[in-house]
Amino acid sequence: MNEPLFSPKNRWFTVSVAAVVAIAVAAAAIGFVWLPRAHARAAVASLWDSICSAAGAPAPYRSPGLPEEKAVFPTTVIVASEFTGPIDNVAVGRGATLALQCSMCHGARGTATVGTNTPHLAGQPPSSTYKQLVDFKSGHRPSAIMQPLATNLSDQDMRDLAAFYSQQVRESLTGHAGIKVDVPRIASNGSPMRNVGACATCHSPGVARAATPILDGLPQAYLVDQLKAFKSGRRANDINQQMRNAAHGLTDAEIDVLAKYYASR
């Protein structure tokens, strides 16, 4: 007697369904559990984390270089353009006194000496300088040089330093004199197909985006190092991972071109 095709009593139907279910379970176990754990850069905390990771659910950023309470977020600072408050002569004066201990690397007025590969602070937006100092102090931006120096700075000290440097004019560097570099397409237009935004969108001097440094005139070696640090994840104090996402899609050749371009300005 022939049984209906879609019936539990039909042996072929039952075997086929059981085989499909078994394959689906095995595929889910491999795709959602084994592969995420096998290829994770760090140990996955739980089975649920493995499943969420495989499904593409965003997870909190964790840096192995930070204590657990600091590793949840890549930075603790969220600033607006007016975050540092009004800049007055008193704040600039206090900042000038504090900046004496910074002059060996960053110059007397925030313009580093040619060849030191130290970033220029003169003319940088106060919110940008303030954010980096806070990140150095908290450990969200590791640095063997800056962390010990920032440790003893109070919040007001960091605001005063940021105010002082924002009022300084970056000096022209003889090492960059006469260098003419065409604007790289990656700087002006980005690469939308690779999810790389135009650098000029955030880093042009006229944009004045909060907590975003001006790249013009920064040392070429410094820019290369920072872009590669963002690309590799060695530096991770960018809010919402915008720099890591952008730098991840850059080639080493594009990094060199961008660094040369901004250093020449």
Side-chain angles (χ1 to χ4, degrees):
M1 180 177 179
N2 294 328
E3 297 290 343
L5 179 60
F6 300 105
S7 171
K9 295 181 179 180
N10 187 320
R11 182 168 62 89
W12 294 108
F13 173 77
T14 305
V15 171
S16 299
V17 170
V20 170
V21 171
I23 292 172
V25 171
I30 293 173
F32 286 94
V33 180
W34 181 74
L35 283 177
R37 294 198 173 198
H39 294 280
R41 294 182 180 179
V44 181
S46 66
L47 176 62
W48 179 248
D49 288 340
S50 297
I51 295 173
C52 291
S53 175
Y61 175 82
R62 292 183 179 273
S63 171
L66 292 172
E68 185 64 25
E69 67 274 10
K70 295 179 181 178
V72 178
F73 302 104
T75 182
T76 56
V77 187
I78 299 177
V79 298
S81 299
E82 65 278 3
F83 185 80
T84 50
I87 297 176
D88 54 34
N89 292 334
V90 175
V92 173
R94 289 195 301 258
T97 302
L98 291 166
L100 292 174
Q101 62 181 323
C102 312
S103 59
M104 181 176 293
C105 296
H106 294 285
R109 294 183 176 276
T111 303
T113 306
V114 175
T116 60
N117 297 330
T118 302
H120 309 303
L121 303 181
Q124 290 291 354
S127 59
S128 173
T129 303
Y130 172 81
K131 178 187 181 301
Q132 298 308 315
L133 286 171
V134 175
D135 283 346
F136 280 129
K137 182 174 181 176
S138 66
H140 288 94
R141 183 179 176 182
S143 169
I145 297 174
M146 285 303 302
Q147 275 185 282
L149 294 174
T151 297
N152 295 324
L153 294 177
S154 67
D155 186 74
Q156 188 61 55
D157 289 341
M158 292 184 281
R159 291 172 185 266
D160 292 341
L161 279 167
F164 167 73
Y165 284 121
S166 71
Q167 300 304 297
Q168 308 309 305
V169 178
R170 178 170 59 84
E171 303 168 16
S172 297
L173 302 177
T174 57
H176 294 153
I179 298 178
K180 298 295 182 181
V181 181
D182 293 334
V183 180
R185 187 177 181 85
I186 196 75
S188 59
N189 297 352
S191 180
M193 296 299 292
R194 291 182 291 154
N195 197 30
V196 177
C199 306
T201 303
C202 298
H203 292 286
S204 293
V207 174
R209 184 169 178 173
T212 302
I214 296 172
L215 303 183
D216 292 1
L218 291 181
Q220 183 175 344
Y222 173 79
L223 290 170
V224 168
D225 180 64
Q226 296 309 305
L227 284 171
K228 288 185 176 180
F230 278 125
K231 181 177 180 178
S232 67
R234 175 163 49 90
R235 179 176 171 182
N237 69 319
D238 52 331
I239 300 173
N240 298 324
Q241 303 189 36
Q242 70 271 35
M243 275 305 303
R244 279 170 288 170
N245 290 337
H248 180 73
L250 296 175
T251 65
D252 288 345
E254 287 173 331
I255 288 176
D256 290 336
V257 167
L258 285 171
K260 183 177 181 181
Y261 166 69
Y262 280 109
S264 69
R265 290 173 61 82

